[in-house]
Amino acid sequence: MMRILVAGATGAMGKELLPRLVDAGHEVFAMVRSESGKARAAELGAVPVVADALDRAQVEAAVREAAPEVVVDQLTAIGHIDTRHFERSFAPTDRLRTEGTDILLAAARAAGVRRFVAQSNGAFTYARTGGPVKNEQDPLDPSPVAPMASMIGAIQHLEKAVLGAEWTEGIVLRYGAFYGPGTSMAPGSEQLEMIRKRKFPVVGDGGGVWSFVHIADAAEATVAAVEKGARGVYNIVDDDPATVAEWLPELAAMLGAKKPMRVPRFVGRLAAGPAGVVLMTELRGASNAKAKRELGWRPAHPSWRQGLQVKA
């Protein structure tokens, strides 16, 4: 049994992660911002501690109170992603991944935390060159399109800070694109409704490769990293990276919708901006071989094809 503090504990990931950590026998503390957050954390079996993630004094006090052996950083503020305003969509999360990470790491160091597990992104961040599927040794995008530069810069800051913290065992989890309860690809979500209404076209050749992960599988992998991860980076994705040209029509069919329209790149650029074109045509997927090998993790939903079929 370990004492574990989860920061960012009441989002889609927290709702899956907290009960799993509790069921595994750990003493779990949840860093929340509000009274409603306290109530939700308590319902999920955790002891709430209140702090604004960007208030250094509050975070230090919360970490002191929890006295954790392990800190899990799941701090994000991602709502609906508007690809035309990608930078604006990610701005609050970018701040949490830079300033918030630095504050939480400093508090963890003062408390003698021995393992620090942080959420990163393996869905949108790899270099857009070479083969279609990347592993943890491959570089993140060194020259992103302008609207994506701040998001990828924040990811790079977080990973460097966590992996460079020699006083603790720093673990970075590069999650794929989430789907499942509470995510942007949950039943009735704006994204799925756009696909249902044929407002989500395939841009260009649709050659962008996406790696998905069910939110419950991502939570299981996070528990494995908390309990037995070693310093380093792990891709947390399913077994089935797929191009947009493959997954988008298949998902539309699952939703009972007509096949998505196809538009040329220049039309996509006008409608979805440069970031939207990258997501549709240039992304690279990720391999989960290391997480399987070193964490002993297997996704219960090995493919988005089955996972989304059940949930859509």
Side-chain angles (χ1 to χ4, degrees):
M1 188 193 86
M2 294 182 285
R3 289 173 71 93
I4 300 166
L5 173 67
V6 179
T10 55
M13 171 59 80
K15 288 171 188 167
E16 299 285 342
L17 179 59
L18 294 184
R20 284 173 167 80
L21 290 171
V22 171
D23 289 347
H26 301 297
E27 191 171 0
V28 183
F29 297 80
M31 194 174 92
V32 297
R33 275 197 308 179
S34 63
E35 288 300 316
S36 60
K38 282 176 68 174
R40 284 200 301 274
E43 285 170 12
L44 295 167
V47 178
V49 289
V50 178
D52 181 327
L54 296 173
D55 185 311
R56 189 175 297 273
Q58 289 184 17
V59 172
E60 286 174 355
V63 174
R64 265 199 315 272
E65 182 182 340
E69 298 159 78
V70 181
V71 167
V72 182
D73 178 1
Q74 295 285 347
L75 292 167
T76 61
I78 304 169
H80 174 67
I81 298 170
D82 180 352
T83 58
R84 288 167 302 180
H85 302 104
F86 196 87
E87 197 166 357
R88 188 192 308 162
S89 296
F90 273 90
T93 295
D94 291 345
R95 191 175 176 206
L96 288 169
R97 284 176 170 160
T98 52
E99 192 178 331
T101 297
D102 291 347
I103 289 171
L104 191 56
L105 274 168
R109 184 173 192 172
V113 168
R114 63 181 179 83
R115 183 171 287 165
F116 192 102
V117 180
Q119 174 180 148
S120 184
N121 183 307
F124 303 148
T125 49
Y126 279 109
R128 295 166 287 137
T129 55
V133 178
K134 304 294 186 179
N135 65 39
E136 292 84 353
Q137 304 302 313
D138 289 313
L140 300 184
D141 195 343
S143 52
V145 294
M148 298 179 74
S150 55
M151 183 272 284
I152 290 177
I155 289 289
Q156 289 170 325
H157 177 101
L158 177 147
E159 293 196 356
K160 185 177 179 183
V162 172
L163 297 172
E166 295 177 358
W167 48 270
T168 192
E169 196 160 35
I171 296 172
V172 166
L173 303 180
R174 290 181 183 160
Y175 297 118
F178 288 147
Y179 70 92
T183 72
S184 64
M185 293 186 79
S189 67
E190 189 170 347
Q191 191 163 325
L192 292 193
E193 286 306 302
M194 286 175 69
I195 294 170
R196 194 191 300 274
K197 295 173 182 174
R198 294 191 89 202
K199 293 181 178 178
F200 199 124
V202 176
V203 174
D205 65 356
V209 179
W210 286 49
S211 279
F212 294 96
V213 67
H214 192 286
I215 191 74
D217 288 328
E220 289 284 354
T222 307
V223 174
V226 164
E227 293 181 339
K228 55 192 172 189
R231 180 191 301 278
V233 180
Y234 299 87
N235 288 330
I236 306 301
V237 297
D238 73 13
D239 299 343
D240 192 12
T243 62
V244 174
E246 184 179 4
W247 70 256
L248 187 51
E250 197 160 326
L251 179 52
M254 289 178 202
L255 295 169
K258 293 180 180 177
K259 286 182 73 169
M261 290 185 284
R262 282 180 171 265
V263 300
R265 280 178 70 116
F266 77 91
V267 174
R269 188 181 175 92
L270 290 172
V277 173
V278 166
L279 299 185
M280 283 282 181
T281 64
E282 297 179 23
L283 280 192
R284 296 299 193 268
S287 164
N288 63 14
K290 181 182 177 184
K292 285 181 166 181
R293 185 176 65 248
E294 296 188 13
L295 300 179
W297 169 74
R298 295 286 185 279
H301 308 81
S303 171
W304 51 272
R305 297 167 208 270
Q306 291 86 42
L308 279 166
Q309 185 79 54
V310 172
K311 299 295 182 185

